[in-house]
Amino acid sequence: MDSSTSALAAAIGGRVRLKRQARGWTLDRLADAAGVSRRMLVNVEQGAANPSVGTLLRISDALGIGLPALVDSPQPKQVTVTPSGEGAALWTSAGGGRGVLVAGTESPDVVELWDWTMVSGDRLDSEAHAAGTKELLQVRTGSLTVAVGGEEHVLTAGDAISFPGDVAHSYANHGNAPAVFSLAVFEPGVGSSPHQEGTDA
């Protein structure tokens, strides 16, 4: 990991640990609630891992805080400005693609705003998010193939799509030029699921 990635991983790990401890949860309880291995959770808390977006979503959902709370400054603000280039790069590809979380709201109704660049050949397969999740995407440059529930949609510059995020979906760049797109994700009721307050059993 480069220095900026390491710093982000350390910040995320510290926030996961603080939120877990504030709930009085053990590592095992959070791992069970999030559906991730204890080893992965330990690595995340120690800042030693560069977890996938899916893993971070599972952890933040289990903690009832939403993904933006893991990467944003912990003190709540009415207005938050993310200067250009300072968003949290939570996905990167070998070819230089990046998925950057540039803004987000707090739970319970979490909205995330992403800035994505996928180079030729990039692909991201996303598991189904929490029930009721919605996604809105607009391609700014290039061409992007969005698959939702097994149906593919090819979008070019200016095209937009809305779809349920609570089914498996993917984004892929089959073109020769980079695809740049904005993505908004709405995840309602984060932290209100019954399993959040379940027992240790």
mmCIF file of all heavy atoms in Angstrom, residues 37-83:
data_model
loop_
_atom_site.group_PDB
_atom_site.id
_atom_site.type_symbol
_atom_site.label_atom_id
_atom_site.label_comp_id
_atom_site.label_asym_id
_atom_site.label_seq_id
_atom_site.Cartn_x
_atom_site.Cartn_y
_atom_site.Cartn_z
ATOM 1 N N SER A 37 -14.532 -12.767 8.191
ATOM 2 C CA SER A 37 -13.723 -13.580 9.095
ATOM 3 C C SER A 37 -13.125 -12.714 10.198
ATOM 4 O O SER A 37 -12.907 -11.509 10.032
ATOM 5 C CB SER A 37 -12.596 -14.275 8.325
ATOM 6 O OG SER A 37 -11.626 -13.335 7.904
ATOM 7 N N ARG A 38 -12.857 -13.348 11.332
ATOM 8 C CA ARG A 38 -12.219 -12.639 12.443
ATOM 9 C C ARG A 38 -10.855 -12.115 12.008
ATOM 10 O O ARG A 38 -10.459 -11.013 12.367
ATOM 11 C CB ARG A 38 -12.081 -13.573 13.650
ATOM 12 C CG ARG A 38 -11.594 -12.880 14.907
ATOM 13 C CD ARG A 38 -11.499 -13.880 16.057
ATOM 14 N NE ARG A 38 -11.302 -13.214 17.328
ATOM 15 C CZ ARG A 38 -10.120 -12.793 17.787
ATOM 16 N NH1 ARG A 38 -9.028 -12.965 17.049
ATOM 17 N NH2 ARG A 38 -10.018 -12.210 18.976
ATOM 18 N N ARG A 39 -10.111 -12.912 11.245
ATOM 19 C CA ARG A 39 -8.786 -12.503 10.779
ATOM 20 C C ARG A 39 -8.876 -11.246 9.919
ATOM 21 O O ARG A 39 -8.069 -10.322 10.071
ATOM 22 C CB ARG A 39 -8.146 -13.651 9.991
ATOM 23 C CG ARG A 39 -6.857 -13.320 9.239
ATOM 24 C CD ARG A 39 -5.778 -12.628 10.035
ATOM 25 N NE ARG A 39 -5.510 -13.210 11.324
ATOM 26 C CZ ARG A 39 -4.871 -12.583 12.321
ATOM 27 N NH1 ARG A 39 -4.440 -11.348 12.146
ATOM 28 N NH2 ARG A 39 -4.666 -13.179 13.469
ATOM 29 N N MET A 40 -9.860 -11.185 9.019
ATOM 30 C CA MET A 40 -10.042 -9.991 8.193
ATOM 31 C C MET A 40 -10.332 -8.775 9.064
ATOM 32 O O MET A 40 -9.772 -7.695 8.870
ATOM 33 C CB MET A 40 -11.165 -10.196 7.174
ATOM 34 C CG MET A 40 -11.573 -8.927 6.428
ATOM 35 S SD MET A 40 -10.234 -8.092 5.545
ATOM 36 C CE MET A 40 -10.090 -9.161 4.112
ATOM 37 N N LEU A 41 -11.204 -8.961 10.055
ATOM 38 C CA LEU A 41 -11.567 -7.854 10.932
ATOM 39 C C LEU A 41 -10.359 -7.360 11.730
ATOM 40 O O LEU A 41 -10.144 -6.152 11.874
ATOM 41 C CB LEU A 41 -12.693 -8.282 11.876
ATOM 42 C CG LEU A 41 -13.313 -7.184 12.738
ATOM 43 C CD1 LEU A 41 -13.822 -6.037 11.876
ATOM 44 C CD2 LEU A 41 -14.439 -7.757 13.583
ATOM 45 N N VAL A 42 -9.549 -8.282 12.218
ATOM 46 C CA VAL A 42 -8.324 -7.904 12.937
ATOM 47 C C VAL A 42 -7.416 -7.094 12.024
ATOM 48 O O VAL A 42 -6.880 -6.050 12.409
ATOM 49 C CB VAL A 42 -7.586 -9.156 13.472
ATOM 50 C CG1 VAL A 42 -6.180 -8.799 13.944
ATOM 51 C CG2 VAL A 42 -8.379 -9.801 14.596
ATOM 52 N N ASN A 43 -7.248 -7.560 10.795
ATOM 53 C CA ASN A 43 -6.401 -6.845 9.832
ATOM 54 C C ASN A 43 -6.946 -5.455 9.524
ATOM 55 O O ASN A 43 -6.183 -4.498 9.394
ATOM 56 C CB ASN A 43 -6.258 -7.653 8.542
ATOM 57 C CG ASN A 43 -5.365 -8.871 8.708
ATOM 58 O OD1 ASN A 43 -4.570 -8.943 9.640
ATOM 59 N ND2 ASN A 43 -5.503 -9.825 7.816
ATOM 60 N N VAL A 44 -8.275 -5.343 9.399
ATOM 61 C CA VAL A 44 -8.884 -4.044 9.143
ATOM 62 C C VAL A 44 -8.622 -3.099 10.311
ATOM 63 O O VAL A 44 -8.193 -1.957 10.130
ATOM 64 C CB VAL A 44 -10.400 -4.183 8.897
ATOM 65 C CG1 VAL A 44 -11.088 -2.809 8.912
ATOM 66 C CG2 VAL A 44 -10.662 -4.876 7.564
ATOM 67 N N GLU A 45 -8.852 -3.572 11.540
ATOM 68 C CA GLU A 45 -8.674 -2.719 12.711
ATOM 69 C C GLU A 45 -7.219 -2.302 12.891
ATOM 70 O O GLU A 45 -6.930 -1.225 13.413
ATOM 71 C CB GLU A 45 -9.203 -3.411 13.971
ATOM 72 C CG GLU A 45 -10.706 -3.487 14.025
ATOM 73 C CD GLU A 45 -11.250 -3.766 15.419
ATOM 74 O OE1 GLU A 45 -10.436 -3.912 16.371
ATOM 75 O OE2 GLU A 45 -12.481 -3.845 15.570
ATOM 76 N N GLN A 46 -6.303 -3.136 12.469
ATOM 77 C CA GLN A 46 -4.878 -2.821 12.596
ATOM 78 C C GLN A 46 -4.371 -1.981 11.420
ATOM 79 O O GLN A 46 -3.205 -1.575 11.410
ATOM 80 C CB GLN A 46 -4.058 -4.108 12.696
ATOM 81 C CG GLN A 46 -4.275 -4.868 13.992
ATOM 82 C CD GLN A 46 -3.519 -6.183 14.042
ATOM 83 O OE1 GLN A 46 -3.023 -6.669 13.017
ATOM 84 N NE2 GLN A 46 -3.431 -6.766 15.229
ATOM 85 N N GLY A 47 -5.241 -1.728 10.446
ATOM 86 C CA GLY A 47 -4.833 -0.958 9.282
ATOM 87 C C GLY A 47 -3.909 -1.726 8.367
ATOM 88 O O GLY A 47 -3.221 -1.145 7.521
ATOM 89 N N ALA A 48 -3.904 -3.057 8.527
ATOM 90 C CA ALA A 48 -2.987 -3.892 7.751
ATOM 91 C C ALA A 48 -3.621 -4.425 6.480
ATOM 92 O O ALA A 48 -2.955 -5.051 5.668
ATOM 93 C CB ALA A 48 -2.502 -5.065 8.608
ATOM 94 N N ALA A 49 -4.916 -4.196 6.319
ATOM 95 C CA ALA A 49 -5.623 -4.729 5.153
ATOM 96 C C ALA A 49 -6.125 -3.588 4.284
ATOM 97 O O ALA A 49 -6.348 -2.474 4.753
ATOM 98 C CB ALA A 49 -6.801 -5.596 5.601
ATOM 99 N N ASN A 50 -6.307 -3.871 2.998
ATOM 100 C CA ASN A 50 -6.953 -2.950 2.071
ATOM 101 C C ASN A 50 -8.237 -3.649 1.623
ATOM 102 O O ASN A 50 -8.299 -4.213 0.540
ATOM 103 C CB ASN A 50 -6.030 -2.652 0.891
ATOM 104 C CG ASN A 50 -6.605 -1.581 -0.020
ATOM 105 O OD1 ASN A 50 -7.532 -0.869 0.354
ATOM 106 N ND2 ASN A 50 -6.074 -1.490 -1.220
ATOM 107 N N PRO A 51 -9.270 -3.654 2.506
ATOM 108 C CA PRO A 51 -10.466 -4.459 2.244
ATOM 109 C C PRO A 51 -11.261 -3.947 1.052
ATOM 110 O O PRO A 51 -11.169 -2.776 0.679
ATOM 111 C CB PRO A 51 -11.271 -4.326 3.540
ATOM 112 C CG PRO A 51 -10.829 -3.019 4.113
ATOM 113 C CD PRO A 51 -9.385 -2.864 3.735
ATOM 114 N N SER A 52 -12.040 -4.848 0.476
ATOM 115 C CA SER A 52 -12.895 -4.477 -0.650
ATOM 116 C C SER A 52 -14.014 -3.560 -0.171
ATOM 117 O O SER A 52 -14.326 -3.480 1.028
ATOM 118 C CB SER A 52 -13.505 -5.732 -1.277
ATOM 119 O OG SER A 52 -14.439 -6.317 -0.379
ATOM 120 N N VAL A 53 -14.635 -2.868 -1.122
ATOM 121 C CA VAL A 53 -15.778 -2.023 -0.794
ATOM 122 C C VAL A 53 -16.882 -2.866 -0.161
ATOM 123 O O VAL A 53 -17.528 -2.451 0.801
ATOM 124 C CB VAL A 53 -16.296 -1.300 -2.046
ATOM 125 C CG1 VAL A 53 -17.580 -0.542 -1.741
ATOM 126 C CG2 VAL A 53 -15.242 -0.353 -2.595
ATOM 127 N N GLY A 54 -17.083 -4.086 -0.686
ATOM 128 C CA GLY A 54 -18.119 -4.969 -0.134
ATOM 129 C C GLY A 54 -17.876 -5.297 1.322
ATOM 130 O O GLY A 54 -18.798 -5.311 2.148
ATOM 131 N N THR A 55 -16.613 -5.572 1.667
ATOM 132 C CA THR A 55 -16.267 -5.877 3.059
ATOM 133 C C THR A 55 -16.519 -4.671 3.953
ATOM 134 O O THR A 55 -17.088 -4.785 5.047
ATOM 135 C CB THR A 55 -14.792 -6.308 3.164
ATOM 136 O OG1 THR A 55 -14.623 -7.531 2.442
ATOM 137 C CG2 THR A 55 -14.376 -6.532 4.610
ATOM 138 N N LEU A 56 -16.116 -3.483 3.501
ATOM 139 C CA LEU A 56 -16.349 -2.273 4.282
ATOM 140 C C LEU A 56 -17.837 -1.996 4.459
ATOM 141 O O LEU A 56 -18.275 -1.557 5.526
ATOM 142 C CB LEU A 56 -15.665 -1.082 3.625
ATOM 143 C CG LEU A 56 -14.137 -1.074 3.666
ATOM 144 C CD1 LEU A 56 -13.587 0.126 2.899
ATOM 145 C CD2 LEU A 56 -13.626 -1.069 5.103
ATOM 146 N N LEU A 57 -18.622 -2.265 3.420
ATOM 147 C CA LEU A 57 -20.073 -2.081 3.536
ATOM 148 C C LEU A 57 -20.660 -3.019 4.579
ATOM 149 O O LEU A 57 -21.508 -2.615 5.384
ATOM 150 C CB LEU A 57 -20.747 -2.325 2.186
ATOM 151 C CG LEU A 57 -20.724 -1.169 1.193
ATOM 152 C CD1 LEU A 57 -21.191 -1.637 -0.176
ATOM 153 C CD2 LEU A 57 -21.596 -0.020 1.683
ATOM 154 N N ARG A 58 -20.212 -4.284 4.577
ATOM 155 C CA ARG A 58 -20.738 -5.242 5.560
ATOM 156 C C ARG A 58 -20.380 -4.822 6.983
ATOM 157 O O ARG A 58 -21.208 -4.906 7.895
ATOM 158 C CB ARG A 58 -20.213 -6.649 5.259
ATOM 159 C CG ARG A 58 -20.819 -7.268 4.008
ATOM 160 C CD ARG A 58 -20.559 -8.763 3.923
ATOM 161 N NE ARG A 58 -19.141 -9.072 3.764
ATOM 162 C CZ ARG A 58 -18.513 -9.163 2.598
ATOM 163 N NH1 ARG A 58 -19.180 -8.942 1.488
ATOM 164 N NH2 ARG A 58 -17.237 -9.471 2.547
ATOM 165 N N ILE A 59 -19.159 -4.356 7.170
ATOM 166 C CA ILE A 59 -18.728 -3.940 8.508
ATOM 167 C C ILE A 59 -19.488 -2.697 8.958
ATOM 168 O O ILE A 59 -20.002 -2.637 10.089
ATOM 169 C CB ILE A 59 -17.206 -3.681 8.534
ATOM 170 C CG1 ILE A 59 -16.442 -5.004 8.344
ATOM 171 C CG2 ILE A 59 -16.792 -3.026 9.852
ATOM 172 C CD1 ILE A 59 -14.947 -4.838 8.151
ATOM 173 N N SER A 60 -19.583 -1.696 8.080
ATOM 174 C CA SER A 60 -20.272 -0.462 8.468
ATOM 175 C C SER A 60 -21.761 -0.705 8.704
ATOM 176 O O SER A 60 -22.344 -0.139 9.638
ATOM 177 C CB SER A 60 -20.059 0.634 7.417
ATOM 178 O OG SER A 60 -20.573 0.257 6.163
ATOM 179 N N ASP A 61 -22.381 -1.557 7.888
ATOM 180 C CA ASP A 61 -23.793 -1.887 8.097
ATOM 181 C C ASP A 61 -23.990 -2.587 9.440
ATOM 182 O O ASP A 61 -24.946 -2.312 10.168
ATOM 183 C CB ASP A 61 -24.321 -2.769 6.973
ATOM 184 C CG ASP A 61 -24.555 -2.001 5.683
ATOM 185 O OD1 ASP A 61 -24.400 -0.769 5.695
ATOM 186 O OD2 ASP A 61 -24.884 -2.634 4.667
ATOM 187 N N ALA A 62 -23.093 -3.523 9.766
ATOM 188 C CA ALA A 62 -23.212 -4.249 11.033
ATOM 189 C C ALA A 62 -23.078 -3.300 12.218
ATOM 190 O O ALA A 62 -23.750 -3.464 13.243
ATOM 191 C CB ALA A 62 -22.156 -5.351 11.103
ATOM 192 N N LEU A 63 -22.231 -2.295 12.073
ATOM 193 C CA LEU A 63 -22.059 -1.304 13.146
ATOM 194 C C LEU A 63 -23.178 -0.272 13.163
ATOM 195 O O LEU A 63 -23.302 0.508 14.109
ATOM 196 C CB LEU A 63 -20.712 -0.597 12.982
ATOM 197 C CG LEU A 63 -19.470 -1.443 13.278
ATOM 198 C CD1 LEU A 63 -18.209 -0.703 12.834
ATOM 199 C CD2 LEU A 63 -19.398 -1.787 14.763
ATOM 200 N N GLY A 64 -23.988 -0.261 12.089
ATOM 201 C CA GLY A 64 -25.119 0.658 12.031
ATOM 202 C C GLY A 64 -24.727 2.095 11.758
ATOM 203 O O GLY A 64 -25.411 3.024 12.193
ATOM 204 N N ILE A 65 -23.625 2.301 11.023
ATOM 205 C CA ILE A 65 -23.145 3.670 10.831
ATOM 206 C C ILE A 65 -23.069 4.079 9.366
ATOM 207 O O ILE A 65 -22.999 5.261 9.066
ATOM 208 C CB ILE A 65 -21.758 3.871 11.476
ATOM 209 C CG1 ILE A 65 -20.739 2.881 10.907
ATOM 210 C CG2 ILE A 65 -21.861 3.741 12.982
ATOM 211 C CD1 ILE A 65 -19.333 3.113 11.398
ATOM 212 N N GLY A 66 -23.051 3.148 8.439
ATOM 213 C CA GLY A 66 -22.921 3.507 7.036
ATOM 214 C C GLY A 66 -21.468 3.726 6.657
ATOM 215 O O GLY A 66 -20.647 4.145 7.471
ATOM 216 N N LEU A 67 -21.158 3.443 5.412
ATOM 217 C CA LEU A 67 -19.789 3.520 4.921
ATOM 218 C C LEU A 67 -19.151 4.907 5.055
ATOM 219 O O LEU A 67 -17.985 5.016 5.454
ATOM 220 C CB LEU A 67 -19.733 3.040 3.476
ATOM 221 C CG LEU A 67 -18.366 3.015 2.791
ATOM 222 C CD1 LEU A 67 -17.386 2.151 3.574
ATOM 223 C CD2 LEU A 67 -18.507 2.489 1.365
ATOM 224 N N PRO A 68 -19.852 6.010 4.738
ATOM 225 C CA PRO A 68 -19.194 7.318 4.850
ATOM 226 C C PRO A 68 -18.624 7.600 6.231
ATOM 227 O O PRO A 68 -17.599 8.274 6.353
ATOM 228 C CB PRO A 68 -20.318 8.304 4.499
ATOM 229 C CG PRO A 68 -21.210 7.527 3.579
ATOM 230 C CD PRO A 68 -21.192 6.120 4.156
ATOM 231 N N ALA A 69 -19.265 7.083 7.287
ATOM 232 C CA ALA A 69 -18.780 7.335 8.647
ATOM 233 C C ALA A 69 -17.423 6.692 8.906
ATOM 234 O O ALA A 69 -16.712 7.106 9.818
ATOM 235 C CB ALA A 69 -19.798 6.827 9.667
ATOM 236 N N LEU A 70 -17.067 5.683 8.119
ATOM 237 C CA LEU A 70 -15.761 5.047 8.310
ATOM 238 C C LEU A 70 -14.631 5.853 7.679
ATOM 239 O O LEU A 70 -13.478 5.721 8.076
ATOM 240 C CB LEU A 70 -15.746 3.630 7.712
ATOM 241 C CG LEU A 70 -16.547 2.566 8.426
ATOM 242 C CD1 LEU A 70 -16.304 1.203 7.775
ATOM 243 C CD2 LEU A 70 -16.204 2.506 9.903
ATOM 244 N N VAL A 71 -14.947 6.664 6.688
ATOM 245 C CA VAL A 71 -13.889 7.367 5.973
ATOM 246 C C VAL A 71 -13.923 8.875 6.184
ATOM 247 O O VAL A 71 -12.937 9.549 5.904
ATOM 248 C CB VAL A 71 -13.932 7.057 4.460
ATOM 249 C CG1 VAL A 71 -13.735 5.583 4.227
ATOM 250 C CG2 VAL A 71 -15.232 7.514 3.832
ATOM 251 N N ASP A 72 -15.016 9.411 6.699
ATOM 252 C CA ASP A 72 -15.112 10.840 6.943
ATOM 253 C C ASP A 72 -14.574 11.183 8.322
ATOM 254 O O ASP A 72 -14.386 10.321 9.168
ATOM 255 C CB ASP A 72 -16.576 11.312 6.850
ATOM 256 C CG ASP A 72 -17.084 11.341 5.423
ATOM 257 O OD1 ASP A 72 -16.249 11.303 4.498
ATOM 258 O OD2 ASP A 72 -18.302 11.387 5.239
ATOM 259 N N SER A 73 -14.385 12.479 8.540
ATOM 260 C CA SER A 73 -14.007 12.964 9.865
ATOM 261 C C SER A 73 -15.091 12.575 10.854
ATOM 262 O O SER A 73 -16.275 12.701 10.568
ATOM 263 C CB SER A 73 -13.869 14.485 9.821
ATOM 264 O OG SER A 73 -13.581 14.998 11.096
ATOM 265 N N PRO A 74 -14.704 12.086 12.040
ATOM 266 C CA PRO A 74 -15.709 11.555 12.966
ATOM 267 C C PRO A 74 -16.668 12.590 13.544
ATOM 268 O O PRO A 74 -17.754 12.253 13.953
ATOM 269 C CB PRO A 74 -14.860 10.928 14.083
ATOM 270 C CG PRO A 74 -13.511 11.554 13.975
ATOM 271 C CD PRO A 74 -13.339 11.925 12.536
ATOM 272 N N GLN A 75 -16.285 13.878 13.610
ATOM 273 C CA GLN A 75 -17.191 14.854 14.182
ATOM 274 C C GLN A 75 -18.232 15.291 13.156
ATOM 275 O O GLN A 75 -17.868 15.677 12.045
ATOM 276 C CB GLN A 75 -16.439 16.077 14.753
ATOM 277 C CG GLN A 75 -15.492 16.751 13.779
ATOM 278 C CD GLN A 75 -14.109 16.181 13.829
ATOM 279 O OE1 GLN A 75 -13.937 14.979 13.848
ATOM 280 N NE2 GLN A 75 -13.111 17.041 13.826
ATOM 281 N N PRO A 76 -19.530 15.226 13.530
ATOM 282 C CA PRO A 76 -20.584 15.585 12.590
ATOM 283 C C PRO A 76 -20.541 17.076 12.251
ATOM 284 O O PRO A 76 -20.267 17.908 13.096
ATOM 285 C CB PRO A 76 -21.872 15.213 13.332
ATOM 286 C CG PRO A 76 -21.499 15.174 14.766
ATOM 287 C CD PRO A 76 -20.045 14.807 14.828
ATOM 288 N N LYS A 77 -20.818 17.399 10.993
ATOM 289 C CA LYS A 77 -20.838 18.786 10.537
ATOM 290 C C LYS A 77 -22.084 18.980 9.688
ATOM 291 O O LYS A 77 -22.523 18.069 9.015
ATOM 292 C CB LYS A 77 -19.599 19.082 9.682
ATOM 293 C CG LYS A 77 -18.273 18.861 10.374
ATOM 294 C CD LYS A 77 -17.142 19.080 9.390
ATOM 295 C CE LYS A 77 -15.802 18.770 10.012
ATOM 296 N NZ LYS A 77 -14.703 18.875 9.049
ATOM 297 N N GLN A 78 -22.621 20.190 9.729
ATOM 298 C CA GLN A 78 -23.767 20.485 8.877
ATOM 299 C C GLN A 78 -23.335 20.572 7.421
ATOM 300 O O GLN A 78 -24.058 20.170 6.527
ATOM 301 C CB GLN A 78 -24.439 21.778 9.318
ATOM 302 C CG GLN A 78 -25.258 21.630 10.580
ATOM 303 C CD GLN A 78 -26.085 22.868 10.858
ATOM 304 O OE1 GLN A 78 -25.660 23.991 10.615
ATOM 305 N NE2 GLN A 78 -27.286 22.659 11.368
ATOM 306 N N VAL A 79 -22.158 21.133 7.178
ATOM 307 C CA VAL A 79 -21.636 21.267 5.827
ATOM 308 C C VAL A 79 -20.244 20.658 5.776
ATOM 309 O O VAL A 79 -19.390 20.980 6.607
ATOM 310 C CB VAL A 79 -21.564 22.750 5.392
ATOM 311 C CG1 VAL A 79 -20.954 22.869 4.000
ATOM 312 C CG2 VAL A 79 -22.952 23.394 5.429
ATOM 313 N N THR A 80 -20.033 19.756 4.846
ATOM 314 C CA THR A 80 -18.725 19.138 4.675
ATOM 315 C C THR A 80 -18.287 19.312 3.235
ATOM 316 O O THR A 80 -19.023 18.965 2.313
ATOM 317 C CB THR A 80 -18.778 17.630 5.006
ATOM 318 O OG1 THR A 80 -19.231 17.460 6.359
ATOM 319 C CG2 THR A 80 -17.405 16.988 4.860
ATOM 320 N N VAL A 81 -17.118 19.866 3.046
ATOM 321 C CA VAL A 81 -16.569 20.063 1.714
ATOM 322 C C VAL A 81 -15.411 19.092 1.518
ATOM 323 O O VAL A 81 -14.520 18.999 2.368
ATOM 324 C CB VAL A 81 -16.077 21.511 1.512
ATOM 325 C CG1 VAL A 81 -15.402 21.663 0.149
ATOM 326 C CG2 VAL A 81 -17.234 22.496 1.656
ATOM 327 N N THR A 82 -15.436 18.353 0.435
ATOM 328 C CA THR A 82 -14.322 17.475 0.077
ATOM 329 C C THR A 82 -13.586 18.130 -1.092
ATOM 330 O O THR A 82 -14.088 18.130 -2.216
ATOM 331 C CB THR A 82 -14.812 16.078 -0.339
ATOM 332 O OG1 THR A 82 -15.621 15.515 0.703
ATOM 333 C CG2 THR A 82 -13.628 15.154 -0.627
ATOM 334 N N PRO A 83 -12.405 18.707 -0.835
ATOM 335 C CA PRO A 83 -11.665 19.340 -1.935
ATOM 336 C C PRO A 83 -11.310 18.324 -3.017
ATOM 337 O O PRO A 83 -11.159 17.123 -2.747
ATOM 338 C CB PRO A 83 -10.397 19.868 -1.242
ATOM 339 C CG PRO A 83 -10.781 20.017 0.203
ATOM 340 C CD PRO A 83 -11.735 18.879 0.458
#
